[in-house]
Amino acid sequence: MRGWRNAVQETAASKPLFLTIYATVILGTVVSSFYVFSAIYSPTASPTRSISSSWLLAPPLSQNGVSLSSNISQPSQHRSNKLRPIWEAPSRTSKMPRLKSFRLTKELVAQRAKDNVIIVTFGNFAFMDFILTWVKHLTDLGVSNLLVGAMDTKLLNALYWKGIPVFDMGSHISTDDVGWGSPIFHKMGRQKVLLINAILPFGFELLMCDTDMVWLKNPLPYLARYPDADILTSSDQVVPTVVDDRLADWKQVGAAYNIGIFHWRPTPPAKKLAKEWIDMLLADDRIWDQNGFNELVRRQTGPAFDDESGIFYSYDGNLKLGILPESIFCSGHTYFVQALHQQFRLQPYALHTTFQYAGTEGKRHRLREAMVFFDPPEYYDAPGGFLSFRPSISKSLLLDGEHNLESHFSLINYQMRQIRSALALASVLNRTLVMPPLWCRLDRLWFPHPGALLGSMTRQPFLCPLDHVFEYALVQVNVMLRDLPAEEFGPAINIREYSFLNNPFLPQRVRESWLDVQLCQEGTEDCHASSNTSRPGLLRFPKRSSEETLKKVFSSFKDVKVIQFSSMQDAFLGFTDKTREEKFRKRVKQYVGIWCCVENHIPGHIYYDMYWDEKPGWKPVPPKTPEDDHPPF
């Protein structure tokens, strides 16, 4: 039996008689498999992920002993008796249906569609936690007309047993994270276009989404406001074109149309575009799917479809296109850097983790910073407990003078020195460090810029994502969140996002198990290295205490979940074991990345230096020669 990709090629030829025969043949093969698209999977945990994999593959998700699925809003729409609600587990004695039962068919889409609309994402097993987050946000919003395409059988099995409506894409893609820009990444992009070509002939409206985005508000009523549009797409626009929830002003959108979120109607112009798009990509494997889409639809832009809607003609002059507003269908820049929705007092519909660094781990961390990523219960109750501190930054560092390289690096370096001490203290006490909020004066981008994009609403200073600074520049991987060999770099230091202690998923037992540590000058009243406290939950502790003293005193508080220091200034005297200190230094030097980019200079990037304060006269300047262009390891 041919797979769905072969079906795409055949249906794309638009032979009506063949389509009729094809639909008739496949109808009988899928009737008995309507029930297979909701359940929960529980094989052994994958050794490749130490935190999340056991949760991803476990029986019903739980939080504080309560099934997480019970907290998931169940859609109010009527369901067939044969169709289980999403997240509902099948009988544990049931068997996994045969692989061919998971083929993409018109009948399968019809099962899940509501008001003729289907919402689809796809991925491989490496993005399982993103997919579960994506599904949970939709079901919490009361939306269940969704399907997930599995690019490998490991993901298909896992989603089936999790109760997620899933179909087999027959892609046989690696189960690992393929990395942005890699050949497999581009192959995955082509799967999206094949998928669009497969679903549009079924006659359903298609809301296609990347897995690295989340829905914060039900988008379907918004999309329904524009019934005349053949396609509604998001964009990489960072300069706002509207200040309300209307479609973006297409005449002002100069950035790329982003295909991570876009809605297709099964109209002749849309089908024509989809067919030409896939033909273009299959003819030249060097073309990135998004670039191909932009090249086609920008063949013609305008005129406007009418005076009010914001829809305009594009592509061949017949396709009606609308650009979703950048402030509420947010990119990683308009959400995390500009916070346009907050400035315009709007409620965002979507968040897409674009404009970010540190690869897939950077995407996870950003969604965690926004408290919209769903982690397993153990993420919120790490062994050894947590360490945090209240950063203190002067007004002059934040606001005085111009926002330039010198003032930006002065602000970052001041924070970096405190974070370095906190990392050392977390290592000594074997606790997970809750990172503080990080303030920046200058934006970070891939190209030269004056510090903040002209026309954008980037406030200076702004609360910047952690990956703007703490990211390993050479391999674009956040090494703070992956293992480095302990024999060379010392013990791993785990971190959590700055918003972690405010996350509603934080267990009550962690919230209530708390010790505040006030640093004081040794010799003053009630300031001594002892576990005796002046009152429950408060400890006055001398500045510049030794490693041995820290270990001795805080071992008395090993059952305390959160230890929070009032400051990190002079909190730690330093390592007594010089070998361990060298390993620590080697580890944390790799935590920071680059700032980019200086205008009119090649190269324009400047390396952050964890130990900048040990280099007299250190200045934020780009490398002068190719030999100087390396991290300060």
Side-chain angles (χ1 to χ4, degrees), residues 16 35 46 65 91 119 121-122 171 213 222 267 292 328 331 346 349 359 411 434 449 466 530 537 601 610 612 622:
Y35 70 95
S46 168
S91 168
I119 310 173
T121 193
F122 67 98
S171 308
M213 60 81 57
Y222 185 93
T267 61
I328 51 179
S331 69
L346 298 171
Y349 281 88
L411 174 60
V434 179
H449 62 94
L466 191 69
S530 169
H601 194 287
M610 185 69 86
W612 61 274

Side-chain angles (χ1 to χ4, degrees), residues 206-234:
L206 170 64
L207 177 54
M208 176 62 70
C209 316
D210 285 352
T211 57
D212 62 342
M213 60 81 57
V214 296
W215 291 107
L216 306 175
K217 186 177 179 180
N218 182 358
L220 299 181
Y222 185 93
L223 302 175
R225 285 166 51 180
Y226 302 98
D228 294 312
D230 298 305
I231 298 175
L232 295 168
T233 183
S234 60

Side-chain angles (χ1 to χ4, degrees), residues 79 153 194 356 380 398 494 512 515 538 549 560 566 588:
R79 296 186 184 88
T153 54
L194 286 165
Q356 60 82 223
Y380 302 98
L398 279 169
N494 294 319
E512 294 176 350
L515 177 67
L538 174 66
T549 300
V560 174
S566 60
V588 299

Side-chain angles (χ1 to χ4, degrees), residues 426-605:
S427 179
V428 167
L429 299 180
N430 195 28
R431 286 180 174 264
T432 295
L433 176 63
V434 179
M435 297 293 285
L438 189 66
W439 289 93
C440 294
R441 280 185 177 239
L442 301 185
D443 197 356
R444 175 182 174 175
L445 295 157
W446 296 274
F447 49 84
H449 62 94
L453 289 174
L454 296 177
S456 72
M457 294 184 64
T458 303
R459 294 171 288 189
Q460 294 177 279
F462 64 96
L463 191 64
C464 55
L466 191 69
D467 59 73
H468 270 213
V469 177
F470 285 84
E471 174 260 352
Y472 187 35
L474 296 180
V475 295
Q476 295 293 296
V477 173
N478 190 336
V479 297
M480 299 180 75
L481 301 177
R482 71 182 179 107
D483 291 334
L484 293 171
E487 61 273 13
E488 184 179 356
F489 297 95
I493 308 170
N494 294 319
I495 66 166
R496 294 292 186 268
E497 62 280 4
Y498 74 87
S499 57
F500 176 78
L501 296 175
N502 294 319
N503 196 303
F505 279 93
L506 194 70
Q508 193 65 25
R509 63 180 178 276
V510 176
R511 296 180 189 278
E512 294 176 350
S513 183
W514 195 286
L515 177 67
D516 265 315
V517 180
Q518 293 182 354
L519 293 175
C520 53
Q521 197 64 44
E522 190 169 12
T524 59
E525 185 179 359
D526 294 332
C527 185
H528 47 81
S530 169
S531 59
N532 295 326
T533 60
S534 57
R535 70 172 188 266
L538 174 66
L539 175 68
R540 287 174 57 80
F541 195 77
K543 296 180 179 180
R544 299 183 63 79
S545 295
S546 68
E547 182 177 351
E548 290 78 6
T549 300
L550 286 160
K551 287 180 177 178
K552 180 179 179 181
V553 171
F554 287 99
S555 65
S556 303
F557 299 100
K558 63 182 179 181
D559 294 329
V560 174
K561 297 295 184 182
V562 182
I563 294 177
Q564 178 168 271
F565 279 71
S566 60
S567 171
M568 267 299 141
Q569 295 286 13
D570 299 320
F572 180 39
L573 181 60
F575 292 97
T576 54
D577 184 338
K578 295 306 177 183
T579 300
R580 180 175 182 179
E581 180 178 5
E582 281 304 311
K583 291 180 178 180
F584 171 82
R585 290 169 64 91
K586 195 171 184 179
R587 173 178 287 274
V588 299
K589 282 180 180 180
Q590 299 202 43
Y591 284 1
V592 291
I594 61 172
W595 180 84
C596 194
C597 293
V598 176
E599 294 182 290
N600 303 318
H601 194 287
I602 299 176
H605 53 255

Side-chain angles (χ1 to χ4, degrees), residues 212-214 216 330-332 335-336 349-353 367 370 372:
D212 62 342
M213 60 81 57
V214 296
L216 306 175
C330 306
S331 69
Y335 189 94
F336 288 104
Y349 281 88
L351 163 57
H352 190 191
T353 53
L367 294 176
V372 295

